Amino acid sequence: MKNSVIKFSGKNYPPEYLVSRLMARLYQDYPKRGAKEIMWVHSNMNAKLIDMFYPFFSVMELKRVINILRYKFFRGTDKKIEEIFEESLLTEELKKFFIKVDSLKKIKAELPEKLPVLKTLKLKKEYEFFGEMEDEIYSEAYIFLLNNAKNKIMENFMRRYIDHANIRQTYKVLKWNLEKSLLLNGGFLEREAFAKIIGKGDKRDLYAFLDSYLDGGFSESDVGILDILLIENMLDNLRQFRFGDNYKGFILYYLWNCHYKAVTA
């Protein structure tokens, strides 16, 4: 099932043991190792924890899958594929599939079967541009992960992640003057709020919203680092768990801190 996608570490340590290790590593600044540290955390998780944090690992791995599709079918090269998978938690079987697959038609036919988060996805035969297909893949996965969250902390993580996806989608639609938008339900923020901003067609409305959402931390000159600001926003939200009182929240905070260090290195 899920472990047919994300590797199982083979370890059976209790959560308390892992948290004690992570507390020590946090104060020694191990999160600066980024993706390598995420792999280390995964390698010390038992099966129950891997299943619990499946939404986090899935959103990380989904980015790699999207990059594979871009390199293989939309940039005319696969020279970076092995490099993309160097720090991946996907099973060897899935890695081999993505490395060997040689047609976009086969990808569209088999992707929903290979990745449970996409099991109800129906990809079209033709897309005007790759971003349209990418949006459909991300959207399907995010809703699946939200609906299958194992606890309130992971549910809230996915709800905020969907908010951020809607923010990025709104910016993309306004920037490129796209006719279609793929906004999601399920976040803390109503999708209609983003639809209204898109309807007005003025990026300044989005900038004003972001200035408030990010506590006065956004101006038009920040659009180039929007993704990083949203990652910081998630980290700030998870910082409440940094003392380890709630092991689920602390582990998620630690993992996201690693992700933040990776993208800002």
Side-chain angles (χ1 to χ4, degrees):
M1 203 179 69
K2 289 179 180 176
N3 284 341
S4 66
V5 177
I6 304 296
K7 293 185 291 189
F8 172 48
S9 67
K11 303 290 176 59
N12 198 30
Y13 300 136
E16 296 78 12
Y17 171 80
L18 178 60
V19 169
S20 67
R21 304 263 331 249
L22 295 183
M23 288 290 289
R25 293 173 78 88
L26 178 63
Y27 289 109
Q28 295 172 40
D29 204 21
Y30 271 84
K32 68 182 179 183
R33 298 193 331 133
K36 286 184 172 61
E37 186 66 4
I38 290 173
M39 293 187 74
W40 185 90
V41 176
H42 169 272
S43 73
N44 285 275
M45 281 183 164
N46 59 36
K48 185 176 179 180
L49 284 178
I50 291 174
D51 195 40
M52 182 185 300
F53 291 96
Y54 184 69
F56 170 82
F57 293 125
S58 290
V59 296
M60 295 294 107
E61 294 303 321
L62 201 58
K63 293 177 182 178
R64 290 188 173 88
V65 170
I66 292 294
N67 281 336
I68 291 295
L69 299 184
R70 279 190 178 278
Y71 281 119
K72 290 203 78 163
F73 302 112
F74 293 89
R75 292 183 180 174
T77 177
D78 60 0
K79 64 180 180 181
K80 292 189 176 182
I81 288 181
E82 285 78 6
E83 181 183 327
I84 291 172
F85 280 145
E86 278 180 5
E87 296 171 336
S88 173
L89 295 172
L90 293 178
T91 62
E92 293 305 314
E93 179 185 352
L94 268 175
K95 288 180 183 178
K96 288 177 182 177
F97 168 74
F98 285 116
I99 289 172
K100 292 181 178 180
V101 67
D102 58 2
S103 83
L104 192 56
K105 182 178 179 181
K106 186 173 183 179
I107 282 284
K108 290 177 181 178
E110 297 190 23
L111 201 58
E113 178 186 341
K114 297 288 185 183
L115 302 178
V117 295
L118 304 176
K119 64 181 180 180
T120 62
L121 180 63
K122 303 295 182 184
L123 291 170
K124 296 187 298 187
K125 288 185 177 181
E126 299 293 337
Y127 288 92
E128 188 175 346
F129 53 92
F130 178 72
E132 186 182 356
M133 177 174 151
E134 177 182 348
D135 287 343
E136 288 189 7
I137 291 173
Y138 278 137
S139 299
E140 180 79 12
Y142 296 162
I143 296 301
F144 176 92
L145 294 170
L146 172 64
N147 291 337
N148 288 274
K150 297 294 184 181
N151 54 64
K152 197 67 176 178
I153 287 175
M154 294 312 300
E155 178 187 327
N156 288 345
F157 168 75
M158 284 310 307
R159 291 186 71 187
R160 187 170 292 269
Y161 206 89
I162 286 172
D163 285 337
H164 292 177
N166 283 338
I167 288 171
R168 290 191 295 269
Q169 177 72 191
T170 301
Y171 174 68
K172 183 164 73 171
V173 170
L174 293 175
K175 179 182 179 180
W176 300 108
N177 196 27
L178 303 177
E179 293 182 4
K180 297 179 182 177
S181 63
L182 193 52
L183 297 171
L184 303 177
N185 289 310
F188 289 110
L189 303 171
E190 294 291 332
R191 70 182 296 279
E192 286 73 20
F194 297 106
K196 286 181 181 178
I197 293 174
I198 290 174
K200 290 182 178 179
D202 191 336
K203 285 185 284 189
R204 289 175 296 183
D205 290 321
L206 177 61
Y207 300 157
F209 162 79
L210 287 170
D211 190 55
S212 173
Y213 182 74
L214 299 172
D215 297 322
F218 191 87
S219 65
E220 186 173 353
S221 61
D222 292 325
V223 293
I225 58 169
L226 177 58
D227 280 345
I228 291 176
L229 293 175
L230 294 176
I231 291 170
E232 284 181 349
N233 176 264
M234 181 74 83
L235 186 63
D236 289 342
N237 180 259
L238 294 172
R239 211 178 295 278
Q240 61 183 301
F241 301 117
R242 68 188 182 279
F243 299 115
D245 298 334
N246 182 311
Y247 81 88
K248 299 169 188 173
F250 176 74
I251 293 172
L252 182 58
Y253 165 72
Y254 192 93
L255 288 168
W256 195 258
N257 197 8
C258 295
H259 176 50
Y260 172 73
K261 295 292 179 66
V263 299
T264 57

